[in-house]
Amino acid sequence: MTDGGTEDVWRREVPHVLAALQRRGVALEDCEDAVQETLLAAAVQWPREGMPTNPRGWLIRVASRRLIDAQRSDAARPRRELQTEQDRTATWSQRVDDHDDSLQMLVLCCHPALTTASAVALTLRAVGGLTTRQIAAGLLVPESTAAQRVSRAKATLRSAGARFEPVPPEQLPARLHAVRHVLHLIFTTGSSLPSGSTVIDRTLTDDAIRITERLHRAVPRDPETAGLLALMLLVDARAATRVNDGRLVPLAEQDRAAWDAAQIDRAVLLLEEALPRGRVGPFQLQAAIAAVHATAAAFADTDWPQILELYRMLLTVAPSAAVELGAAIALSEVEGPEAGLAALEPLAAARPRDHRVIAARAHMLETLARPEAAVAFRQAAALTDSIPEQNYLNVKAGHA
């Protein structure tokens, strides 16, 4: 076992060690094997001899030796020449003042040849420094599934000839889009776990915020990246109030005095700086919605007409079932639950087993004092694998 400080060092340095090995032109899977062996060696030596004064240098040196040994022992694996020529175009790495290798690793993990599921798993391993067990726990999949996703991702990168190298400027927008999507998926998974006895996985949310912070430093004038970071900070600012003794606390009942005011202020500033820079994208709009909620002094003071307008804008930019649901809820607050129920009808027909849609309908029926509310709450509870959500919805059914 290791102490928290050592684990923090490992997770912080893993992307840099992987990057150092990747510059040799070696496949990511081989580099990752060498790094894992090095971490095992560190787990034995560091507690006994103390943490090196330069942990990154120690890890790179030992991992390099392990990689060379592995290459020598495998005669079937051809040697790749060390890449020495620098790309003179305006590259990703040139956008980073301190050349953060984790960003290059992030772009590699979001290679267009990978599926989203594989990219998420590989990002958590190569950039987040999580173990296969931690990835499986965070994504709520069996450990074997997480291992397969990571292994499949590395094999796909090998087949695609992907290398640790600068991304051409013309490819950067598409890559950034994929990177943001993966980071958002990691954060949303961690902030609202779809199953199990807990609601939030701090490992996933903290990693998503940490990596997005690095991404924002690399492209500080990219408005969508700023919007994504603002969105994460706003949601995370109220994390401590979302659960009380294992019980879900709805937004209307959360203690707003306990929200992280400094984090909210920073997120709002990020958003204010990003919005005038160009086309407003979905992450900026989602952050704007979260900011309206976060800056209301009380739930009753929420500017629901503004939220409804933002959702309507979001529907034109990035339509989805989640956005339709949010718009219907906002409409019910502005025009009344009858209007909200009418807006929910096509979504409920299209997604008859979506517990969030059914739960929203139940809340609107409850507001109207309709007897069907209890049935809807129980139906929603039966369709979710989240124990806190089940408990909350069943309690609501008993009171409806």
Side-chain angles (χ1 to χ4, degrees):
M1 298 296 292
T2 62
D3 59 39
T6 299
E7 288 186 351
D8 289 343
V9 170
W10 287 359
R11 290 174 62 185
R12 184 174 64 247
E13 300 300 347
V14 160
H16 299 283
V17 180
L18 277 173
L21 300 186
Q22 280 264 283
R23 289 195 182 92
R24 300 170 179 265
V26 181
L28 177 60
E29 58 188 302
D30 297 327
C31 296
E32 208 266 345
D33 289 343
V35 170
Q36 292 301 313
E37 292 177 8
T38 301
L39 294 181
L40 289 175
V44 173
Q45 294 185 36
W46 289 10
R48 184 178 67 245
E49 302 174 4
M51 187 182 298
T53 55
N54 181 6
R56 183 184 301 179
W58 189 96
L59 292 168
I60 291 175
R61 183 171 63 255
V62 174
S64 296
R65 292 173 183 166
R66 301 266 175 169
L67 186 62
I68 291 171
D69 290 343
Q71 289 177 307
R72 287 174 176 170
S73 65
D74 190 354
R77 181 183 299 143
R79 292 181 177 274
R80 294 181 175 89
E81 295 181 357
L82 181 66
Q83 180 181 355
T84 57
E85 186 173 347
Q86 297 292 324
D87 191 317
R88 297 183 181 274
T89 60
T91 65
W92 172 281
S93 60
Q94 290 169 342
R95 296 169 181 262
V96 190
D97 293 338
D98 59 354
H99 188 73
D100 191 341
D101 286 325
S102 62
L103 295 175
Q104 285 280 51
M105 290 304 305
L106 181 58
V107 172
L108 180 64
C109 291
C110 295
H111 192 279
L114 298 177
T115 64
T116 299
S118 293
V120 168
L122 189 61
T123 298
L124 290 172
R125 165 63 67 81
V127 183
L130 273 63
T131 65
T132 303
R133 179 172 296 181
Q134 289 172 320
I135 294 170
L139 299 181
L140 301 168
V141 297
E143 191 169 345
S144 59
T145 300
Q148 288 172 359
R149 289 182 184 178
V150 174
S151 177
R152 189 180 303 118
K154 290 186 286 188
T156 300
L157 291 180
R158 178 193 283 271
S159 298
R163 298 170 64 90
F164 183 84
E165 58 188 5
V167 177
E170 65 273 13
Q171 293 183 15
L172 189 58
R175 289 291 190 95
L176 273 176
H177 177 78
V179 166
R180 287 191 296 259
H181 178 73
V182 166
L183 291 174
H184 182 243
L185 184 56
I186 292 171
F187 180 81
T188 54
T189 299
S191 62
S192 296
L193 294 174
S195 66
S197 59
T198 58
V199 176
I200 301 171
D201 185 323
R202 295 300 314 189
T203 298
L204 291 182
T205 56
D206 288 351
D207 271 343
I209 292 173
R210 175 174 58 85
I211 298 168
T212 305
E213 289 270 18
R214 293 179 180 176
L215 183 63
H216 176 60
R217 288 199 299 270
V219 284
R221 295 193 59 78
D222 178 62
E224 270 294 83
T225 299
L228 175 59
L229 179 57
L231 174 62
M232 291 182 180
L233 293 174
L234 288 163
V235 173
D236 186 68
R238 60 184 182 86
T241 67
R242 291 176 56 204
V243 182
N244 184 14
D245 292 330
R247 182 183 67 86
L248 274 181
V249 182
L251 181 62
E253 300 174 15
Q254 290 174 16
D255 179 7
R256 296 182 178 228
W259 289 358
D260 191 327
Q263 195 161 296
I264 291 172
D265 289 344
R266 183 184 172 221
V268 171
L269 181 61
L270 280 169
L271 193 56
E272 289 175 344
E273 293 175 345
L275 287 173
R277 289 187 190 143
R279 190 181 74 87
V280 177
F283 289 126
Q284 295 168 77
L285 289 171
Q286 290 177 67
I289 292 169
V292 175
H293 283 297
T295 55
F299 184 79
D301 299 324
T302 304
D303 188 345
W304 285 106
Q306 183 180 1
I307 289 175
L308 178 58
E309 183 59 31
L310 288 168
Y311 268 118
R312 285 171 172 166
M313 292 172 65
L314 191 53
L315 279 170
T316 65
V317 173
S320 70
V323 177
E324 288 183 47
L325 176 59
I329 293 171
L331 183 64
S332 73
E333 295 287 346
V334 174
E335 298 184 9
E338 291 282 9
L341 287 170
L344 276 181
E345 284 183 6
L347 190 58
R351 303 175 67 86
R353 297 186 61 79
D354 188 329
H355 78 279
R356 290 183 174 84
V357 175
I358 298 169
R361 181 173 178 274
H363 280 286
M364 295 175 194
L365 290 170
E366 181 187 38
T367 303
L368 293 168
R370 299 257 288 270
E372 312 97 285
V375 175
F377 277 124
R378 291 192 185 95
Q379 183 184 5
L383 290 172
T384 178
D385 293 323
S386 167
I387 294 175
E389 282 189 340
Q390 289 175 4
N391 294 337
Y392 170 77
L393 292 167
N394 282 322
V395 168
K396 293 291 292 183
H399 294 161

